[in-house]
Amino acid sequence: MHDNFYQMYLDEMGEITPCTGEEQLKLIADFRGGNQDAKKRLVEGNLRVALEYAKEYDGKGVLLSDLVQEANMALLMAVEEYAKAGGETGFDSYVGQKIKKALELAVEEELSADRTGEELAARVNVLSQISQTLAAELGREATVEELADKMKMSVDEIQGIMKMAMDAVSLNAENADLESLAEVSDLEITESDEEDYDYEV
């Protein structure tokens, strides 16, 4: 699918001629003089460069279409910042650094979100198992306080896990790790009128 997107995007840029180094210098000067067409040409003439950078980060957890969007936004900002900075050389290097930084941040944020989803899923599973154990020992449903004591956590932390799980399920999250929370069938979480959290197993 992403190969189709890559080729389709290349085809869309087929009629856009990449900027030469000499042309870029003139365009930068014109843009600094207030010529917005020069800015547009600078961006369009470097879209293929942005695409190549995006392709380097493909397969690292972020959709290629999102990577391209991040790269293009970074390109636009780099063109504006470079023109304001007043530099005369190193345009390609400056743009490349800005694009790579944006792409690295996008990948890092995605990895962080994945880790958060995995940790939440793991905590909910542990909470579910302990709630079943306590229910068997006590002959009734355990209170949030009893769960907190058993898990060596605060009541607020237990309620936080319950609320995050409830939010993840109610939002029908697309993230695969968060979707696994909805599959925990033996822990049903409800919110009481007193803004406390109860559950049923």
Side-chain angles (χ1 to χ4, degrees):
M1 182 70 166
H2 75 286
D3 289 335
N4 292 338
F5 170 81
Y6 181 72
Q7 188 57 51
M8 181 180 69
Y9 197 73
L10 275 177
D11 292 343
E12 288 180 359
M13 292 190 299
E15 297 182 4
I16 300 176
T17 305
C19 285
T20 63
E22 183 178 350
E23 182 187 10
Q24 283 183 168
L25 289 176
K26 182 179 184 306
L27 289 170
I28 291 168
D30 290 346
F31 178 35
R32 285 176 180 155
N35 188 332
Q36 292 300 310
D37 287 337
K39 171 188 171 182
K40 180 180 178 182
R41 171 60 186 150
L42 264 176
V43 173
E44 289 183 346
N46 283 280
L47 285 175
R48 192 177 295 268
V49 173
L51 176 61
E52 290 305 313
Y53 276 112
K55 193 72 165 64
E56 291 179 12
Y57 288 82
D58 188 24
K60 294 187 177 183
V62 182
L63 292 175
L64 181 58
S65 57
D66 292 337
L67 289 171
V68 170
Q69 184 176 1
E70 291 290 339
N72 288 347
M73 287 297 297
L75 168 63
L76 177 60
M77 293 179 65
V79 167
E80 294 178 342
E81 291 173 3
Y82 186 85
K84 292 178 181 177
E88 296 297 334
T89 58
F91 175 78
D92 291 339
S93 176
Y94 184 86
V95 167
Q97 289 177 4
K98 290 292 184 180
I99 293 176
K100 288 180 70 174
K101 184 176 180 180
L103 291 172
E104 287 168 1
L105 181 60
V107 170
E108 183 180 332
E109 289 178 346
E110 184 64 29
L111 290 175
S112 178
D114 288 345
R115 285 194 295 269
T116 299
E118 290 171 359
E119 291 171 2
L120 177 55
R123 288 189 176 190
V124 170
N125 286 331
V126 170
L127 181 59
S128 172
Q129 292 169 8
I130 290 180
S131 69
Q132 291 181 70
T133 301
L134 281 177
E137 292 176 356
L138 299 171
R140 60 171 173 77
E141 306 300 338
T143 65
V144 174
E145 289 76 11
E146 288 169 335
L147 280 170
D149 182 63
K150 187 72 172 178
M151 293 183 69
K152 306 302 181 186
M153 299 174 71
S154 69
V155 170
D156 286 343
E157 287 174 324
I158 295 296
Q159 291 175 344
I161 294 173
M162 291 178 170
K163 185 177 187 306
M164 285 188 292
M166 214 168 27
D167 290 344
V169 173
S170 65
L171 289 173
N172 196 22
E174 294 180 1
N175 182 284
D177 293 318
L178 291 181
E179 280 185 351
S180 66
L181 298 175
E183 298 172 1
V184 180
S185 59
D186 50 3
L187 179 64
E188 181 181 343
I189 302 165
T190 58
E191 187 173 358
S192 70
D193 295 335
E194 297 178 357
E195 296 187 353
D196 200 354
Y197 296 91
D198 301 318
Y199 65 93
E200 297 176 1
V201 291

